[in-house]
Amino acid sequence: MDVVIAGTGMHPWGKWGRSFVEYGVAAARAALRDAGLDWTEVQYVVGADTIRNGYPGFIAGATFAQALGWTGARIASCYAACASGAQAIDIARTRILAGLCDVALVVGADSTPKGFFTPVGGDRPDDPDWLRFRLLGATNPAYFALYARRRMALYGDTPEDFAAVKVKNAQAGSLNENARYRKTVTAEEVLASPMVADPLRLMDICATSDGGAALVLASEGYARRRGLSTAVRIAAVSTVTPSFPNTVLELPCFATDSTAAVPPPERTFRASIAHAAYEEAGLGPQDLSFAEVYDLSTALELDWAEDVGLAPPGEAGKLLRAGDTALGGRIPVNPSGGLASFGEAIPAQAIAQVCELTRQLRGTAGSRQVVNARAALAANQGLFGHGSAIIAVT
Amino acid sequence: MAAPAIDGWFVTDDDGAVHLLGTRCAGCRTVYFPPQTGFCRNPHCAGEDLTPARLSRRGTVWSYTNACYPPPAPFAAAEPYTPVTLAAVELAEEGIVVLGQVKDLTVDDLHVGMELELTSGALADGPLVWMWGRA
């Protein structure tokens, strides 16, 4: 039995200044409409939590269920940082596969403050996420910049390459009605934007956004009985953790694990995330029609393209420069426009990636349509060791 | 001398030499920074005896960056603000990469693979942190 994606819904990304609950409800209702299902028929609700919106954010499943109207549906709430949405999908899918329910609603939404993400308030010297700001002033973009500089040193990538990622993603995002940034940009504009964390400039780094995304998942049997769409199936959900020792300096850590006693694992954490998804789906990177990856920075999209196997290490720049990863290219990366066009709405983002997978695989992505899309992967990583990759197929 | 901004993560000897303080598992010899106590995180090791260990003072730059805008609280940014430089430095013997502020060097002075040596410096509001400096 398979789990199908019967409906998708999004609230447009932006800085709307309203409660995350509104975005979540709008996305949920859109997903239910898309599925052709009434809210009262949903048996199970999973909310991806947000930590910056008080108690209702910590119990997002109940918050959304109450807002949509209590029906007695069973719920779960989960938090896995940027991977929260993937975990929510995983929980709903697993429950359907276990035969414990037929149809589930997955919702994630966030309302974000302006500027850098900062740690949760208070004096908390036992929390590494607080300490990295206190002792080092190490913001999230600082970590993205370390990876970017490392690429430049190891592979010879240039700021012009990074700018080309932004140009590509802005082009795709200009065609997406749910994206926050709809303007195309030039490489010159990216390279003239203020330096934030050398070598990354403002337009290399994804913003923080408000937004909401939702999915209706159902067992294939239920979907057939009810006449719901069965066009897109979930072939894999990877929620792997790193293998010790993790030799990549991860946000928000002060150091890597040590290789003094145990040699590094065969794959880096990011590469292991996609690998597990491919194993579960019985597919490989060569089978993909496109991929959505977590471009927290332009340079990080290049890392991801290699980590998910679209290019050997160091050669994602070549793929980019050949136009292969652009819309209309051989293997488009981030046809949605990516985080470059959306900005990050943490608990909604992995769900939004799957919304794009679904639209593309249904052939309903309009001017962004990847021709003959058959299989796609969405990859993401949540801080503190949360892998997230989902493969969907037609 | 000013107080450290965090206890037990680094030490300054009488001769001024600064050492990062980690721990080492007595069972498998894995090294930890920041100091890990109570249990070893090597999945193949059930060790619970982690003893203090001074880490190598010199390493090579794994990568580096800076903060062109003042980082938000709880960081105390100097006024007027000058960019904080950060380096992730690889310590060969311990097989570990440690992030730190960089003292008296900017990103223009750094390159991947360059050798740096541990020192310390003051945060804008006074207390000391470990910093990477010119070797």
Side-chain angles (χ1 to χ4, degrees):
Chain A
M1 187 190 65
D2 275 321
V3 170
V4 301
I5 302 170
T8 72
M10 293 174 70
H11 182 287
W13 264 231
K15 280 284 189 200
W16 309 110
R18 300 201 304 275
S19 161
F20 78 98
V21 186
E22 275 190 48
Y23 312 141
V25 168
R29 288 183 169 166
L32 289 163
R33 274 196 305 278
D34 183 46
L37 199 74
D38 194 83
W39 155 242
T40 57
E41 298 176 282
V42 171
Q43 298 164 0
Y44 192 64
V45 183
V46 191
D49 293 343
T50 165
I51 59 168
R52 291 182 176 80
N53 292 275
Y55 216 115
F58 301 144
I59 45 126
T63 299
F64 296 132
Q66 183 193 35
L68 290 159
W70 292 125
T71 61
R74 298 189 184 207
I75 57 158
S77 302
C78 66
Y79 188 70
C82 302
S84 301
Q87 289 220 332
I89 292 167
D90 188 50
I91 293 166
R93 172 185 183 241
T94 306
R95 199 152 173 109
I96 293 167
L97 288 175
L100 292 171
C101 73
D102 298 310
V103 61
L105 176 69
V106 177
V107 190
D110 207 2
S111 192
T112 55
K114 188 175 158 51
F116 289 115
F117 275 133
T118 61
V120 175
D123 212 28
R124 291 176 302 104
D126 54 349
D127 179 351
D129 195 43
W130 185 89
L131 276 174
R132 58 146 168 155
F133 282 91
R134 171 65 188 134
L135 302 179
L136 305 179
T139 60
N140 293 5
Y143 289 83
F144 311 154
L146 291 171
Y147 306 147
R149 175 61 67 183
R150 181 99 181 140
R151 277 199 76 80
M152 292 171 70
L154 254 53
Y155 307 138
D157 285 1
T158 64
E160 287 73 19
D161 291 326
F162 302 157
V165 173
K166 175 71 175 185
V167 171
K168 170 184 77 67
N169 287 348
Q171 168 63 30
S174 74
L175 306 173
N176 191 337
E177 72 283 4
N178 286 312
R180 174 175 172 189
Y181 302 105
R182 303 285 310 277
K183 284 206 308 221
T184 58
V185 301
T186 65
E188 292 70 31
E189 287 172 303
V190 181
L191 292 166
S193 66
M195 192 71 85
V196 173
D198 191 289
L200 296 179
R201 296 173 180 277
L202 189 62
M203 291 173 73
D204 285 306
I205 297 166
C206 101
T208 65
S209 288
D210 297 358
L215 299 170
V216 174
L217 304 184
S219 69
E220 194 169 8
Y222 177 88
R224 287 197 193 290
R225 284 197 302 280
R226 294 295 312 274
L228 311 183
S229 169
T230 57
V232 180
R233 293 177 293 121
I234 297 180
V237 179
S238 157
T239 54
V240 295
T241 50
S243 292
F244 182 90
N246 187 352
T247 56
V248 176
L249 184 67
E250 300 278 5
L251 192 170
C253 299
F254 286 90
T256 60
D257 290 334
S258 154
T259 56
V262 183
E266 184 184 347
R267 290 178 191 83
T268 64
F269 179 37
R270 276 200 305 269
S272 74
I273 296 169
H275 180 78
Y278 289 132
E279 293 251 293
E280 187 174 315
L283 298 174
Q286 71 284 354
D287 298 311
L288 299 184
S289 308
F290 68 97
E292 286 280 315
V293 302
Y294 223 60
D295 58 320
L296 291 164
S297 82
T298 49
L300 196 62
E301 178 176 303
L302 300 176
D303 284 339
W304 272 117
E306 294 160 8
D307 293 327
V308 306
L310 303 183
E315 296 190 15
K318 205 186 288 180
L319 217 59
L320 169 80
R321 290 186 286 270
D324 288 352
T325 55
L327 274 179
R330 186 171 60 77
I331 176 76
V333 174
N334 286 328
S336 70
L339 298 184
S341 303
F342 275 77
E344 190 185 23
I346 294 174
Q349 213 66 44
I351 301 170
Q353 287 183 318
V354 178
C355 289
E356 178 70 8
L357 262 52
T358 307
R359 290 180 64 174
Q360 292 282 359
L361 293 169
R362 282 178 179 172
T364 58
S367 50
R368 301 194 314 287
Q369 185 62 47
V370 175
V371 177
N372 197 25
R374 304 298 305 275
L377 171 138
N380 162 14
Q381 176 187 353
L383 84 171
F384 289 108
H386 290 104
S388 153
I390 291 154
I391 294 176
V393 297
T394 54
Chain B
M1 183 179 285
I6 185 153
D7 287 329
W9 286 26
F10 65 99
V11 65
T12 308
D13 286 345
D14 292 340
D15 64 1
V18 184
H19 295 263
L20 288 170
L21 291 178
T23 51
R24 182 177 278 113
C25 174
C28 74
R29 311 301 290 165
T30 290
V31 175
Y32 292 97
F33 181 84
Q36 162 83 21
T37 56
F39 46 88
C40 180
R41 299 201 309 259
N42 173 357
H44 311 291
C45 176
E48 296 184 342
D49 182 12
L50 288 103
T51 54
R54 291 179 165 216
L55 306 194
S56 301
R57 298 193 58 231
R58 285 189 174 211
T60 53
V61 173
W62 182 82
S63 193
Y64 60 94
T65 183
N66 62 4
C68 298
Y69 292 87
F75 187 76
E79 291 182 34
Y81 177 75
T82 52
V84 172
T85 307
L86 293 170
V89 173
E90 193 163 11
L91 308 181
E93 191 191 321
E94 293 83 359
I96 192 170
V97 174
V98 180
L99 188 60
Q101 287 194 36
V102 177
K103 190 175 187 176
D104 299 335
L105 297 170
T106 71
V107 288
D108 296 328
D109 304 316
L110 296 171
H111 61 264
V112 170
M114 166 180 187
E115 189 171 43
L116 293 179
E117 184 175 273
L118 198 73
T119 180
S120 67
L123 295 171
D125 57 349
L128 292 177
V129 289
W130 75 93
M131 292 188 180
W132 296 108
R134 204 180 286 278

